[in-house]
Amino acid sequence: MSQDRHPTEDLPAYALGVLDRDEREVIAAHLETCAECARDVAQFHEAIYDVAAVGSAEAGDPPRGLRTQIVLRHRDAPVPSATRWGDQILEFLLRPVPAAVPAALAVLLVVAFVVVGASRQQAGAYERALAGVVDGRVVALAPTGANPDARGAVVIPTQGSPYLVARLPAPPPGKVWEAWVLKPGASGPTAIPAGTTERGDVFTLSLTVPLGDGDGVAITLESASGPAQPTTQPVLLADRT
Amino acid sequence: VGRLPPEQREVLALAFWSGYSQSEIAARTDTPLGTVKSRVRLAMNKLRESLEDER
C-alpha cells in the first residue's frame, strides 16, 4: 500500500482490533511509513483507552460474568526482543499511559484480547469458558506481540483459587506454557512460577501461587523442566490484577 | 458511549467484551459485513470527537 492511498476508513477498526489478520497486516505495514495515519491510530487508541478509564460498562452488557472487565487496548506495541526478560517486563510496566487517563484506572487495568485468525469454534470455546464465570472477577491478559493471536484471562473467583483461561497453540515437544505471578517490588516485578501445562487450544490452568492484590500475571513458553525464572518473553501479560 | 446509537454500542461491546473481529461480529449478529464496518467506523469517530471536545 503506497503512502498516497491512506486506509483511512479502516483505521478505527485497526485501532479497535477488529480487523482480520490479512487486513491488519496491510494496515500495520502502512503505519510503519505513514506518520499521518499512525497519528490517527494513536488518537483512536486514546479514545478507546479513555472510554475504558471512565467505565466501558456503558458500551453494553458484557457476557455473563465479565462485569468488572475494563478495556485497555493502548499498549499494542510489540515487546522488544531484549535478552533479559526482567527488563522487558519492567519496560512494559513503565510504559507511560495517556495523560487523560485518571489515576483511578490503576485500580484495575484490563487489556482487551485480540482475536485475529482464530477459528470461530475456538473463539466460542474461549468465550463459553469465560461466560461460565458467574461469581468473580475476570482480568484479561494482553497479547504482547510474541503471539498476537493468543488470548487469556485470569479468573479470580469470590471463593477459591484464581485460575487462567487461555487460548494458545499446543507448545512444541519438550516445552510447556508456564504461568507466573508477578509480585511488585522496588526494583521491578519478581516472577514466581505458578504452574505449567502442555495443553493447547483453550485450556484452564490453576495458579499454584496466591494472587495478591495488584499482582501481575504472565504466561511464557519454557522448557518442560520448568525454570525458576522466565527465559522467554511473555505471550500474555497483565501488569496488575 | 451511552450517546451512541444502540447498533454502534453493540459492535463496540462485542469488540470490547468478546474480542470478535468485524467478520465474526457480522456472523454473530447476522449483519452484513459492510454494515458492521460502517458502525465501527462511525462509533470510533464519535468517540474520538467526544474525547477532543472534552479537552
Side-chain angles (χ1 to χ4, degrees):
Chain A
M1 183 178 295
S2 64
Q3 285 201 37
D4 54 352
R5 288 186 58 205
H6 300 289
T8 308
E9 293 197 342
D10 286 333
L11 295 182
Y14 178 85
L16 190 58
V18 293
L19 290 179
D20 290 321
R21 176 193 287 270
D22 53 344
E23 297 173 308
R24 184 184 59 173
E25 289 176 350
V26 170
I27 303 293
H30 176 79
L31 292 178
E32 290 181 0
T33 59
C34 180
E36 183 180 344
C37 288
R39 190 166 51 248
D40 282 349
V41 168
Q43 290 175 350
F44 285 123
H45 275 156
E46 198 159 345
I48 295 168
Y49 194 87
D50 203 51
V51 168
V54 299
S56 56
E58 294 295 324
D61 293 331
R64 182 161 50 94
L66 299 185
R67 57 184 177 274
T68 60
Q69 189 168 320
I70 297 175
V71 176
L72 185 156
R73 194 192 287 280
H74 199 73
R75 302 175 173 182
D76 61 343
V79 174
S81 56
T83 53
R84 289 187 55 210
W85 189 86
D87 290 345
Q88 296 168 1
I89 284 288
L90 193 58
E91 183 171 340
F92 185 92
L93 299 182
L94 294 179
R95 194 173 300 166
V97 297
V101 177
L105 182 61
V107 173
L108 180 64
L109 292 181
V110 182
V111 184
F113 354 91
V114 179
V115 179
V116 179
S119 72
R120 188 170 304 148
Q121 185 178 10
Q122 272 195 331
Y126 179 80
E127 187 193 35
R128 283 195 299 276
L130 288 179
V133 180
V134 295
D135 189 17
R137 198 154 61 88
V138 178
V139 180
L141 305 177
T144 60
N147 185 339
D149 294 339
R151 293 179 74 186
V154 188
V155 179
I156 308 171
T158 305
Q159 294 183 327
S161 301
Y163 60 93
L164 299 175
V165 178
R167 192 188 69 199
L168 287 165
K175 300 284 187 179
V176 295
W177 296 117
E178 182 151 12
W180 306 88
V181 169
L182 308 175
K183 299 287 184 184
S187 59
T190 301
I192 301 174
T196 64
T197 182
E198 297 177 348
R199 299 177 59 190
D201 295 330
V202 178
F203 61 86
T204 60
L205 176 61
S206 295
L207 295 178
T208 58
V209 173
L211 191 60
D213 190 27
D215 286 353
V217 173
I219 300 177
T220 63
L221 183 65
E222 303 293 349
S223 63
S225 59
Q229 286 295 304
T231 62
T232 66
Q233 65 172 312
V235 291
L236 290 164
L237 173 67
D239 52 4
R240 59 183 299 156
T241 58
Chain B
V1 175
R3 291 195 294 269
L4 293 175
E7 63 273 14
Q8 292 176 24
R9 286 206 305 270
E10 182 185 38
V11 296
L12 284 187
L14 286 170
F16 277 12
W17 303 112
S18 299
Y20 289 118
S21 68
Q22 289 182 129
S23 54
E24 289 170 327
I25 292 171
R28 290 181 67 87
T29 60
D30 197 23
T31 304
L33 178 58
T35 303
V36 171
K37 288 183 175 181
S38 175
R39 289 173 181 172
V40 167
R41 189 165 57 247
L42 291 171
M44 290 295 296
N45 279 318
K46 286 179 183 174
L47 288 183
R48 182 170 70 162
E49 290 168 8
S50 176
L51 180 63
E52 290 170 351
D53 290 345
E54 290 174 6
R55 293 180 172 173

